[in-house]
Amino acid sequence: MVSMNDINTSPQLGKTSLFGWNAQHQPVLKGVRCSACGAVAFPPQHYGCERCGATGLLDIELAPNGVALGAAQVHIHAQPYPKAPFTVVEVRLDEGPVVRALLDTTGQTDLAGRRVRGVLREGRQAGVLDFQFEVAA
């Protein structure tokens, strides 16, 4: 996990259109909320609400906490990052949307129903943080 000292010294965030820090330096996912029906969506897009089609979408920060729906371990991967084997987890966020991301530990796939939280970890490039989930204690 990244400490407050790390935030002020060197790490950069990868994919800043998808995640970032809130005012308390906690990780957040960037989403949208429909001003007409209140539906929340991730990733953010401004073409129209996924539920009602309205175009009034407001940018919001989503707490990256939720319940794991399932996970899969990937053993063969054509790209250099992430290095196989790795685990992908599907999570229903407490605020509604279902998202997929890497799990910070490989091999743990019996996650259905377990609480997870988002963390920022060094990823593809040294000094650049990527979003992942970890099992909540």
Side-chain angles (χ1 to χ4, degrees), residues 43-65:
Q45 55 77 22
H46 292 277
Y47 300 110
C49 175
E50 295 174 359
R51 183 186 299 156
C52 74
T55 57
L57 299 172
L58 308 169
D59 291 321
I60 61 170
E61 292 180 345
L62 301 168
N65 306 312

Side-chain angles (χ1 to χ4, degrees), residues 9 11 16-17 19 45 48 54 72 74 76 84 86 113 116 118 131-132 136:
T9 56
T16 56
S17 63
F19 60 86
Q45 55 77 22
V74 177
I76 298 172
F86 59 89
V116 295
F131 180 85
Q132 296 180 9

Side-chain angles (χ1 to χ4, degrees), residues 39-99:
V40 175
F42 176 87
Q45 55 77 22
H46 292 277
Y47 300 110
C49 175
E50 295 174 359
R51 183 186 299 156
C52 74
T55 57
L57 299 172
L58 308 169
D59 291 321
I60 61 170
E61 292 180 345
L62 301 168
N65 306 312
V67 175
L69 300 176
Q73 190 170 13
V74 177
H75 295 277
I76 298 172
H77 189 242
Q79 302 298 318
Y81 179 83
K83 186 175 178 180
F86 59 89
T87 303
V88 176
V89 64
E90 186 171 58
V91 175
R92 178 168 306 280
L93 297 177
D94 294 341
E95 297 181 62
V98 173
V99 300

Side-chain angles (χ1 to χ4, degrees), residues 1 7 15 21-22 24 30-31 35 38 48 56 61 75 81 84 90 109 113-115 122 128 137:
M1 192 163 204
I7 295 168
K15 299 185 183 177
W21 304 103
N22 65 13
Q24 294 76 35
K30 297 181 179 181
S35 59
E61 292 180 345
H75 295 277
Y81 179 83
E90 186 171 58
T109 57
R114 302 228 12 224
R115 296 284 306 165
E122 190 170 83
V128 178

